[in-house]
């Protein structure tokens, strides 16, 4: 029987699932929750003590990063290249400019803070970040500020699932829709994942049958707020430096790795129907679904086979 | 002699006018060149505006892509159960 454990972290709902001995699993749940809390504290940009904030403060000089942060930045660099720059962690100033300068829970409670400067921040080249594998050093070009929000949740979900797997051969971690699945539920050929309607959270558009691996969704309908009378959302288009205007409302990606799924969900959403197929061909073993403004479901090659 | 000259003038004028009018009528009733040449060379569909998603299959020859998923929604009712695992973005 599948056991579940829910809690809130990273400003989203976390769901842990595992099959096996209940006592073992309960211990696994506790350890996994503690791990997620610890990783969030290290990679959040909303805490000045976090390792990410320390990296941002060290802009223009070498910063000795932990193994985890170094790995995350390396993966981010790979996806920055693979996505043709549509995934770009250096858009933090633009994100803050749009009003996302505190956690989403705080924005929902107190509203966004208007900024005095009206100019869109200068675009920086994330590809110019330098790395020193020997020391784990990272050098951000002067002025560059990083937001790992587009990749860290997937990375944490996968890392946490691998930790939970020490307690249960079949388990999953779902971090607000970005999930990593290990093994298969007893007697099942696949995990069942509901694909939510971005226009109505109570509505399910499809149920996906997916094997072990990752699923992630990016949407422009969830993290939204008002600023100076304008509706804003968290998905910044690196090409314009402003919240993206997308034809699709959400994109869901099924991929082997959670980081890849999360990053490409965002990049494909930005690419839109014109360029999504070409972009998807940059990443092997990836299937995606997109929902348009009318709630219609679209998909890449082989996506139909995953719909239950 | 004068009569002969006048006769020739009248004959020339009459045949000229008749030939011109005959040619005019012939050309007016002949098939228009544009209609026979254009049909095989100009592809009308390629000039017509394409639907937004139509070019996608051509990019990677992935003809399954988007359009086959669309009918799935009305054709297949969703399972009655609701999976605990949900993906929606956050």
């Amino acid at each position: 029987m599948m056991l579940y454990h829910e809690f809130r972290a990273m400003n989203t709902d976390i769901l842990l699932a595992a099959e096996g001995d209940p006592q073992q699993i309960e211990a696994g749940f506790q350890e996994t929750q503690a791990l997620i809390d610890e990783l969030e504290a290290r990679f959040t940009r909303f805490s000045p003590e976090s390792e990410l904030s320390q990296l941002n403060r060290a802009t223009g000089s070498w910063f000795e990063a932990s193994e985890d942060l170094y790995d995350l930045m390396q993966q981010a660099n790979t996806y920055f290249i693979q996505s043709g720059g549509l995934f770009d962690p250096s858009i933090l100033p633009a994100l803050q400019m749009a009003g996302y300068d505190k956690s989403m829970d705080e924005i929902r409670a107190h509203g966004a803070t208007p900024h005095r400067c009206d100019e869109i921040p200068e675009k920086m080249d994330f590809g110019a970040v330098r790395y020193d594998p020997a020391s784990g050093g990272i050098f951000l070009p002067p002025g560059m500020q990083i937001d790992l929000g587009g990749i860290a949740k997937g990375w944490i979900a996968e890392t946490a699932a691998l930790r939970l797997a020490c307690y249960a051969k079949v388990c999953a971690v779902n971090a607000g829709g970005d999930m990593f699945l290990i093994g298969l539920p007893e007697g099942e050929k696949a995990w069942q994942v509901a694909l939510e309607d971005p226009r109505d959270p109570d509505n399910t558009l499809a149920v996906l049958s997916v094997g072990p691996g990752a699923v992630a969704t990016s949407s422009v309908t969830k993290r939204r707020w008002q600023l100076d009378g304008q509706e804003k959302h968290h998905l910044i288009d690196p090409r314009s430096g402003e919240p993206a205007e997308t034809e699709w409302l959400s994109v869901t990606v099924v991929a082997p790795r959670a980081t890849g799924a999360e990053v490409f969900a965002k990049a494909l959403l930005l690419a839109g129907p014109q360029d999504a197929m070409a972009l998807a061909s940059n990443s092997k073993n990836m299937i995606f679904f997109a929902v348009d403004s009318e709630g219609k479901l679209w998909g890449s090659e082989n996506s139909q086979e995953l719909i239950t | 002699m004068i009569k002969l000259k006048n006769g020739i003038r009248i004959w020339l004028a009459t045949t000229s006018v008749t030939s011109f009018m005959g040619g005019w009528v012939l050309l007016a009733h002949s098939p228009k060149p544009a209609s026979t040449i254009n049909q095989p060379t100009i592809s009308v569909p390629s000039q017509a505006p394409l639907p937004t998603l139509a070019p996608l299959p051509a990019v990677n020859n992935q003809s399954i892509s988007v359009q086959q998923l669309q009918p799935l929604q009305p054709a297949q009712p969703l399972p009655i159960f609701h999976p605990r695992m949900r993906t929606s973005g956050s």
Side-chain angles (χ1 to χ4, degrees):
Chain A
M1 189 179 77
M2 190 72 73
L3 299 174
Y4 296 95
H5 178 68
E6 287 178 276
F7 60 100
R8 196 157 173 85
M10 299 186 280
N11 286 287
T12 194
D13 296 320
I14 310 289
L15 176 66
L16 310 182
E19 263 182 10
D21 175 54
Q23 280 190 328
Q24 280 276 318
I25 287 173
E26 183 54 36
F29 283 161
Q30 296 306 319
E31 188 173 322
T32 305
Q33 180 173 350
L35 176 65
I36 289 173
D37 289 339
E38 178 206 325
L39 293 174
E40 179 192 7
R42 285 170 59 193
F43 300 134
T44 180
R45 65 183 168 91
F46 302 118
S47 164
E49 289 83 34
S50 74
E51 189 179 4
L52 178 62
S53 293
Q54 292 175 43
L55 171 65
N56 281 332
R57 280 198 295 274
T59 183
S61 59
W62 282 96
F63 177 78
E64 197 173 320
S66 68
E67 201 175 316
D68 288 339
L69 180 59
Y70 191 86
D71 176 46
L72 249 175
M73 288 290 288
Q74 288 275 291
Q75 287 197 45
N77 187 49
T78 301
Y79 292 127
F80 169 75
I81 295 165
Q82 279 187 14
S83 69
L86 284 178
F87 167 69
D88 186 345
S90 68
I91 47 81
L92 177 56
L95 202 52
Q96 291 168 327
M97 183 78 194
Y100 195 5
D101 58 354
K102 50 193 169 193
S103 76
M104 192 47 57
D105 284 348
E106 285 182 76
I107 289 177
R108 284 176 184 137
H110 308 294
T113 313
H115 284 254
R116 289 176 190 167
C117 176
D118 288 333
E119 287 181 17
I120 296 170
E122 183 191 352
K123 180 168 170 31
M124 302 202 73
D125 178 14
F126 184 67
V129 177
R130 287 152 62 192
Y131 303 91
D132 179 13
S135 66
I138 299 172
F139 180 89
L140 301 183
M144 182 178 284
Q145 297 288 284
I146 299 297
D147 172 42
L148 294 174
I151 187 171
K153 194 143 55 68
W155 187 89
I156 289 175
E158 183 171 330
T159 304
L162 292 171
R163 178 67 62 87
L164 187 54
C166 298
Y167 296 86
K169 288 180 180 173
V170 177
C171 62
V173 172
N174 184 352
D178 298 347
M179 64 190 78
F180 194 73
L181 313 163
I182 294 175
L184 288 174
E186 191 178 0
E188 301 287 340
K189 292 179 180 172
W191 289 83
Q192 305 294 309
V193 178
L195 199 161
E196 204 172 281
D197 187 341
R199 303 164 309 158
D200 177 9
D202 295 329
N203 187 34
T204 297
L205 286 179
V207 175
L208 310 181
S209 294
V210 297
V215 181
T217 297
S218 187
S219 165
V220 293
T221 61
K222 282 287 176 78
R223 298 197 179 208
R224 299 185 78 91
W225 61 91
Q226 290 280 332
L227 184 67
D228 297 332
Q230 287 185 312
E231 184 92 358
K232 305 277 186 180
H233 63 77
H234 77 301
L235 187 67
I236 297 291
D237 188 333
R239 296 165 295 191
S240 66
E242 294 185 274
E245 291 181 15
T246 61
E247 286 190 46
W248 286 332
L249 297 182
S250 73
V251 170
T252 297
V253 170
V254 179
R257 299 292 303 272
T259 46
E262 186 180 7
V263 163
F264 272 95
K266 285 175 176 60
L268 289 167
L269 188 53
L270 289 172
Q274 301 292 346
D275 302 316
M277 294 298 285
L279 178 60
S281 66
N282 289 351
S283 180
K284 290 179 180 176
N285 303 319
M286 188 179 76
I287 291 172
F288 77 85
F289 302 85
V291 182
D292 67 19
S293 57
E294 294 174 0
K296 285 179 185 168
L297 195 59
W298 306 85
S300 61
E301 190 178 18
N302 302 328
S303 57
Q304 195 172 1
E305 296 166 13
L306 298 190
I307 293 185
T308 304
Chain B
M1 192 61 182
I2 294 169
K3 281 184 181 177
L4 180 63
K5 283 182 179 174
N6 285 338
I8 289 170
R9 283 192 186 113
I10 291 166
W11 182 79
L12 282 172
T14 307
T15 51
S16 296
V17 169
T18 308
S19 300
F20 176 77
M21 293 303 287
W24 182 286
V25 170
L26 262 175
L27 283 171
H29 287 85
S30 65
K32 290 186 171 61
S35 64
T36 53
I37 294 168
N38 282 354
Q39 274 177 357
T41 53
I42 296 177
S43 171
V44 175
S46 70
Q47 290 186 331
L50 293 169
T52 308
L53 282 164
L56 283 179
V59 173
N60 289 319
N61 252 349
Q62 293 171 330
S63 56
I64 295 177
S65 82
V66 287
Q67 295 185 353
Q68 288 191 3
L69 274 174
Q70 198 171 342
L72 279 178
Q73 285 180 280
Q76 288 195 318
L78 291 169
I80 296 168
F81 72 96
H82 298 286
R84 287 289 297 272
M85 287 291 166
R86 298 180 68 79
T87 186
S88 62
S90 59

